[in-house]
Each structure stands twice: as C-alpha cells, then as structure tokens.
Amino acid sequence: MLSETIIAADQRIRTWQYLRDLWSYRDLFWALVERDIKVRYKQTVLGVAWVLIQPICTAVAFSIIFGRVAGMDSQGLPYPLFYLAALIPWTCFTNALSQAAGSLESSAGLITKVYFPRLIAPGAMVLGTVVDFAIGWFVFNVVAIVWGYWAVFYSSQPETVNQVYWTWKFILFTPILLGLQLSAAMGIELVLAILNAQYRDVRYVIPFMIQVMMLASPVIYSLKRLLETRWGEWLMVFAYINPMAGVIETYRALLLGNYIPYELLACNFFMAVSLLFLGIIFFRTREQRIVDLL
Amino acid sequence: MSWAIRVEDLGKKYRRGEVQPLNLNFREALTDFTKNCLSRLNPFGAGSSSADATPFSDSKAGSSDDHSEFWALRNINMEIHEGEVVGIVGRNGAGKSTLLKIMSRITWPTCGVVRYRGKMASLLEVGTGFHRELTGRENIFLNGEILGMRRAEVARKCDEIVAFAEVEKFLDTPVKFYSSGMYLRLAFAVAAHLEPEILIVDEVLAVGDWAFQKKCLGRMSEVARSGRTILFVSHNMGAIAELCNRAILLHYGKQLAQGQVTDVLEAYSRLISQSGCQTQLSVNPSLSCSVTAVKLCDDEGRETSSFDIAQSLVFSITYQVTTSLQGLQITLTLARNMVDVVHSFDTDRMDKLPLRQPGTYEARHTIPKMFLKAGVYSVRITAGTPDRLIQDLESVLHFEIEELSQNTHMKGYRKERAGHVISPGTWETRKLE
C-alpha cells in the first residue's frame, strides 16, 4: 500500500511529521551544503585564503589601533591572538547571519518550483559557514601553539613575553562553543530569513545590526575591562544575553589558562537554545505562506 | 482501479498585496500592526461599537473581498486514477500553475483538500537548482536530489542520464560553458529519470530543438505506459491529444470541463475563440464619413478574436458616408508589439480612387492563413481622403493568433524568432551536382 499524503487548508503538521519530513530530505540538505561550499570560492584567485584574509587583516588593524595606539587591555594575551580569538568565531557568526538571512530570497528559484522542508535552505547556509570556521580555527591553533613555544624557548627574556597557554582543552571546548554559536546564529537568522522574504528592508538593517552587535560583544574589549568601568555591572547584562560573549571569552580564557566563565556560558547556552527554538517555531508557523511572498 | 490523486473542493485565494510583495514594506506593516494593536486595546474607539466587534483583520478581509483579493482557483474537484495521464488545459492565468503548485506542496490551498498516494515528483521547470558554476556531473546530483531522488539513486542512474542528454564529453565542464541546448538536454535528462508514482509536468516539453522534443515526448509516453500517473499541463494541444487519456479545462480558476480529451480540447478551442471580436461605434454627424462597426471573423464566418495560425482572418468595416467624398480611403493597420506589421488601403488594388456617394458601405479585408505570426495584435482603422484625415480609430480591436495547430519549433516563423510576418514566398531547393 502506498503512503497517502494529505494537503489541506489550515493543516496542522505535527512535530514528529515535521521531523520525519526533514529527515527524509537529509540528502538534499547535504547537497545544498556541498553546493554552497563548492560555489563560494569558485573563480576567485585567492580561493579559500579569503577565509583567513578577513579576520587576520581585522586582527592586525585592531592590534595596531586598539592595542598599540589606544593601549587597551588584552589581559596579558598578545594583541593579535587576543583579537583573533574573538574575530574567528565572530566572522563565522556574522557571515552565517548575513548570508542565511537572505537564504529564502536567494533560493526563491528553488522554493517556488520544488517542495522541500524550507528549514533546509537556511540550515544548509549556516552549516556551510562551518567550513570557513574550521579553516580559520585551524590556522589560529597553529599560531597559538607556535607563539606559545616561541615565547617559552626562543625569547631572550621569556618572563617579559606574554604567555599563551595552549592546551588540549582548547580542542575539547571547540565543539561546545561552535554548537552554541551555530544555534544562536540559526535562531536569529530563521527570524531574519522570514522577515527578509516579507520585507526587503531587513537587507539594510543587517549590516547595521551586525555592527551594533559587535560593539555589544567583547570583540574589541574584554569583559574584565568592561566590569572595571563605571556602569560595568549593568553592562554585563548584555554579555549574559549575548551568546557570542561567552564564546569569545571562553576562547580567550582557554588561551590565558584562566578559569572558564561557566556561569556566563550556561546563561548563554540557555539563551542560544531558546533563540533556536523560538526561531524554529517562528519559521514553522510562517514557512507555508512565505512562498506566496517571494 | 483505485485513485491516485483526489482533489476536493480546492480553492486558492491570493491577496493582490501578496502577488506584488514589493508594495508591502516594513513601514506599512508597522502601521498595520499598530492599528491592529490599537483597535484591540481600544474596543470602544472611533466608530460604532458594532463595527468594532469584529477584529481589525476580519473586517479588512471582508471589505476588500472584491478589490484586493481574488480566487486563483475555486471549487476544484477531481479524481485521478492510478496510471491515468491527465492533461490540464486553459488560457494563461486560468489557474493551471497554481493547481500544480498546490499539488506539489509549494504553496498552500485556502480551502479544500488534496490527497495523493505514493511518491510525487513535480517538474514545474526544467533545471531547477542548476548552478552555473558547477560541472555537469555535480549538477546532475544536485538537481536529482532537489527533485527528490536519493543520492544513491542518482549515482545509479548517472550514466543513463548522461547518455540521454548526450553530454558525455562535457561532464566535467561547468554548465555555464554549455550551449543552451546542452543545458536543457541535461536538465530534462535528470528529470526524465525520476521514478515517482505520480509525475507532475508543467509545460517543460516546450524546450530544446525538435529532435530533443520528440525524445522527451517519447520518454513521457514511456513513463505513461509504465503505469505511472501523470498530470500534464501544456499549450501544445497535439501533445495533450497524443499523451493523455483524460483532460481538464480550467478557466479563471474554475473547472469548466472534464473528461474525454477530444471533448475538452473542443471546449477549449470554443472558449478561446469567444469574446471581444467586434466594436460598434456611434455615428458622428459632424463628419462626412464615420466608421460604425468593425468586426473580425474567421474563414468560416464565426466571430472571434482568437485565431490559429492556420486560419485566415476577415475584417469587416462598416462605415457611413453623409456627403459624397472623392477618393475616400479606409486604412487598416495591424500592430504587434508596437510595430506596424500590416498597413493596407481598401483602394490598394484600384487604378483610380473611387467616388463614394452617401450611404452605408461595408469593406472587407481578408488576411490569408499562415501570414501573421503568433502574437497579440491591435487594429487601427482610419478613414480619409489623400489630403484629409477624417477619422482615426486606434486600437478598435485586439486579436490573438496562436500556434495551436502547428508545431513551430523547427519553423522559421516561430513566435520568438526574428521577422514580423510569415513569408508568403516559396522555397525551392534543387540539387545542382
């Protein structure tokens, strides 16, 4: 007996049906991820190097301006590492946001012609950014290890050189932090993707939003420095509701050999998961109608 | 035999705002939202309490019933049995595509239910999801998976697909370097190897060269013979007559006829030949000559505004002359896409311009079949003497010529090709050596 499919007006799709539907389209999901990765750096001269150029250039610029010129506190980490530890996850996060927010619009050609669970389109785009992150992360590790050894063995005055404590903990924590970051990105961008399909204004809001979010996240400064300021304790509220704060601070703490801010992480984790769930719920209630707006 | 697809009382309503999403911007949504909130917060606000009893959104939907909303489909009922090949015909905007989109779960119905049994694949477009930067092989996999095949399934059929598309040599070339023919062949080849229980096809056969089209049609009938259920939309009545065992006629979202292919196609041709084929004009007493009616018939004398390319057109222009006019000329101009294609005087074949005494005249002009290309034409009539224009009637009539009976894919006069008319000349080719 063949399975029967029912399409009805005002049909309520149960969660298990929704999940089963998603699962049955897993091949398409991977195909779209693969496509995004393959296509991204086609016909570019520098290719994958672009993944590194953006965070490295920014880190160098930040080191010079905020480090040397403004003399900001990096908690004893060398400036380039201090900024790279923030910029590598941050670039991945913002890329995921800005690309995937347009995912419904950019895959309108598919959505208006073929059925698939719409969640796949933004999902695949977010996952596509993981490859970029992995490359950046790998290079970052190499830099951190080399820097650490150099400081210990080759410097003429090891005690004056800033210490970098790279340990295996760093690798251990990465999947957790990546998951945290991806679920936050996914949650936010599911909402943005739907809104963008409906109101193209979103396109203009995103770059601005990302800028503001960067200032609200401890990319340029450290949370320790923030606490020392006048309104520090109030400003910390932003860190607790901003999942990227925990991600960045943890990477830095790992390199410094400091205590990992578990309290902050737990709070951020709760935020990220709630964002993800809210995003999915928002998306689910609107995905059926969105095709008529594309 | 059990049913494969069942459609019950299906309807789809569009809001015009949704059809043109760009008109709806964030600001309007915000004001709507605030209004909505305010009307909820303040049930005793401006206006009578009875009007406020309905929520804002409801009253809006009710009042704008005839302006901002329209039914793309309404009251559609059908039952399609397993293994049937059903053709769907209708003019542009009849709701064919909407029906297919609902069936393939792309858009959702406003009311009604669709049930189907088994796996369904829909081809609303050839080459959906093809990426120009990817190679032929990569696109086969991507497209196959988009159309609902599993990866392993595509891998198994890959060689077959490549052979069908005849692109072996270019398999590892990005498809942006393909010729348009190769691209379409590859795209159709992937689609042609789907093996669902139900296949939905929208007009995809209208691509490629003639040889490939025949191949596609052949493949379609092969699929049909293998016992699959096919739902097939096409303007090509020949293809429908050849492939389908049943047909459905849609007209402005309603189901007008259903049943035998020949009956439905007949109803369809009757439908497209109705409406707007004559214009009555009032007499202007101040003019020495005024056109009173313009009428358009086909070669059998039926009034129509829609013609097949192989039908001749008869224009009949009735005019009244109040004072005798020396050298009165009636001009007929036919324009397609703002280009005047035909410009003709009723006196073209006369050596000397005639004298028209007062009275009512009818001038007929026949345009032979296979002369005008397919398209929408507008008719302009003028009356005047060589030194004076008396009347100028622009766009008095419109008519349409369609390529219904002819397959024009290999013809020089196909609608999209260059040239304004079908050459009345003849070709002869003889072998010299």
Side-chain angles (χ1 to χ4, degrees), chain B residues 339-381:
Chain B
V339 176
D340 290 345
V341 178
V342 168
H343 187 69
S344 176
F345 295 152
D346 65 333
T347 54
D348 276 348
R349 297 281 171 94
M350 299 176 187
D351 300 329
K352 201 160 70 77
L353 293 183
L355 172 75
R356 298 283 186 218
Q357 301 289 354
T360 307
Y361 297 83
E362 186 195 25
R364 289 169 79 93
H365 182 64
T366 306
I367 290 197
K369 64 182 184 183
M370 301 302 284
F371 176 69
L372 293 177
K373 292 178 55 160
V376 177
Y377 290 82
S378 79
V379 181
R380 177 182 181 185
I381 308 279

Side-chain angles (χ1 to χ4, degrees), chain B residues 115-252:
Chain B
R115 291 164 205 273
Y116 61 83
R117 286 178 182 160
K119 206 177 159 201
M120 175 187 275
S122 57
L123 290 179
L124 300 193
E125 183 187 59
V126 165
T128 306
F130 260 50
H131 201 289
R132 287 166 42 79
E133 300 282 350
L134 297 179
T135 67
R137 189 194 305 277
E138 287 167 337
N139 267 312
I140 290 177
F141 276 87
L142 180 63
N143 190 233
E145 279 157 325
I146 283 171
L147 293 174
M149 278 193 251
R150 303 298 312 273
R151 198 175 188 88
E153 206 180 334
V154 188
R156 207 174 58 234
K157 290 179 186 158
C158 194
D159 292 340
E160 215 178 311
I161 293 171
V162 173
F164 187 87
E166 302 159 24
V167 291
E168 292 92 341
K169 283 181 216 152
F170 305 96
L171 206 52
D172 294 309
T173 312
V175 295
K176 64 176 171 179
F177 299 121
Y178 279 30
S179 73
S180 55
M182 276 159 64
Y183 184 94
L184 288 172
R185 283 208 303 274
L186 182 65
F188 188 85
V190 181
H193 288 82
L194 286 172
E195 282 174 353
E197 277 90 28
I198 301 169
L199 185 64
I200 289 185
V201 187
D202 186 6
E203 208 78 65
V204 283
L205 294 176
V207 298
D209 54 23
W210 176 235
F212 188 68
Q213 271 210 14
K214 272 178 85 172
K215 204 168 167 180
C216 295
L217 271 175
R219 176 79 201 178
M220 288 277 297
S221 41
E222 219 173 90
V223 173
R225 270 199 304 275
S226 68
R228 291 176 213 289
T229 313
I230 303 184
L231 214 61
F232 179 46
V233 162
S234 179
H235 278 119
N236 189 335
M237 295 222 257
I240 293 225
E242 197 182 316
L243 279 176
C244 303
N245 18 61
R246 211 148 64 86
I248 290 162
L249 171 61
L250 294 182
H251 187 55
Y252 289 115

Side-chain angles (χ1 to χ4, degrees), chain A residues 75 169 173 224 246 249-265:
Chain A
Q75 292 178 288
K169 257 181 155 180
F173 263 89
K224 189 163 165 263
E249 281 296 305
T250 311
Y251 279 124
R252 283 178 183 161
L254 285 166
L255 285 187
L256 282 162
N258 281 357
Y259 288 113
I260 289 151
Y262 285 112
E263 196 185 318
L264 178 68
L265 262 188

Side-chain angles (χ1 to χ4, degrees), chain B residues 17-51:
Chain B
E18 286 181 342
V19 178
Q20 299 164 319
L22 289 178
N23 289 349
L24 187 77
N25 63 33
F26 199 54
R27 188 172 49 84
E28 286 165 28
L30 275 183
T31 48
D32 268 11
F33 177 75
T34 358
K35 269 189 222 163
N36 203 344
C37 288
L38 284 177
S39 70
R40 278 186 197 182
L41 281 175
N42 184 9
F44 307 109
S48 67
S49 54
S50 63

Side-chain angles (χ1 to χ4, degrees), chain A residues 9-290:
Chain A
D10 307 320
Q11 189 176 9
R12 285 190 63 83
I13 295 167
R14 305 203 172 279
T15 306
W16 65 268
Q17 284 174 318
Y18 192 74
L19 292 176
R20 199 184 56 182
D21 203 25
L22 274 177
W23 177 246
S24 68
Y25 276 87
R26 61 191 181 279
D27 277 5
L28 177 62
F29 176 74
W30 290 114
L32 290 180
V33 173
E34 195 186 322
R35 179 196 71 180
D36 284 346
I37 294 168
K38 273 185 186 161
V39 166
R40 197 165 315 145
Y41 299 107
K42 281 230 171 157
Q43 223 176 17
T44 56
V45 180
L46 298 179
V48 189
W50 280 113
V51 175
L52 299 171
I53 291 172
Q54 204 190 338
I56 288 177
C57 287
T58 321
V60 169
F62 281 11
S63 305
I64 295 169
I65 293 167
F66 297 117
R68 301 286 165 211
V69 179
M72 283 177 78
D73 171 40
S74 67
Q75 292 178 288
L77 267 185
Y79 282 121
L81 283 181
F82 177 78
Y83 288 118
L84 267 184
L87 283 168
I88 285 180
W90 180 256
T91 322
C92 172
F93 178 75
T94 53
N95 279 350
L97 266 195
S98 53
Q99 282 172 22
S103 61
L104 288 180
E105 188 194 346
S106 62
S107 47
L110 272 188
I111 288 175
T112 56
K113 297 292 178 195
V114 181
Y115 171 76
F116 55 91
R118 305 312 185 195
L119 197 63
I120 281 181
M125 279 214 176
V126 167
L127 206 67
T129 60
V130 172
V131 177
D132 287 7
F133 176 77
I135 296 165
W137 180 85
F138 178 76
V139 172
F140 176 72
N141 277 289
V142 172
V143 174
I145 293 168
V146 170
W147 202 301
Y149 275 96
W150 177 80
V152 175
F153 296 112
Y154 296 100
S155 173
S156 50
Q157 300 159 288
E159 63 280 2
T160 62
V161 174
N162 297 325
Q163 287 295 313
V164 178
Y165 297 92
W166 189 91
T167 59
W168 292 105
K169 257 181 155 180
F170 197 89
I171 292 179
L172 217 66
F173 263 89
T174 302
I176 301 169
L177 297 178
L178 186 62
L180 178 61
Q181 170 186 339
L182 288 181
S183 40
M186 186 79 185
I188 298 173
E189 63 99 355
L190 284 179
V191 177
L192 289 180
I194 290 278
L195 288 178
N196 183 53
Q198 211 161 355
Y199 317 107
R200 297 291 146 85
D201 310 58
V202 173
R203 204 180 331 182
Y204 304 103
V205 176
I206 288 171
F208 176 67
M209 198 185 84
I210 286 174
Q211 247 175 23
V212 173
M213 278 168 72
M214 182 165 112
L215 295 178
S217 309
V219 176
I220 298 169
Y221 50 86
S222 65
L223 283 185
K224 189 163 165 263
R225 179 80 192 84
L226 189 72
L227 258 177
E228 289 161 5
T229 57
R230 195 165 166 202
W231 305 102
E233 283 179 14
W234 289 105
L235 290 173
M236 278 301 279
V237 174
F238 286 107
Y240 278 96
I241 59 172
N242 174 6
M244 284 310 285
V247 172
I248 293 168
E249 281 296 305
T250 311
Y251 279 124
R252 283 178 183 161
L254 285 166
L255 285 187
L256 282 162
N258 281 357
Y259 288 113
I260 289 151
Y262 285 112
E263 196 185 318
L264 178 68
L265 262 188
C267 205
N268 286 169
F269 213 89
F270 175 74
M271 266 310 285
V273 171
S274 337
L275 273 177
L276 182 63
F277 271 96
L278 287 176
I280 291 175
I281 291 167
F282 185 81
F283 194 85
R284 249 192 84 180
T285 53
R286 282 159 181 81
E287 66 177 326
Q288 290 181 0
R289 278 194 41 203
I290 214 70

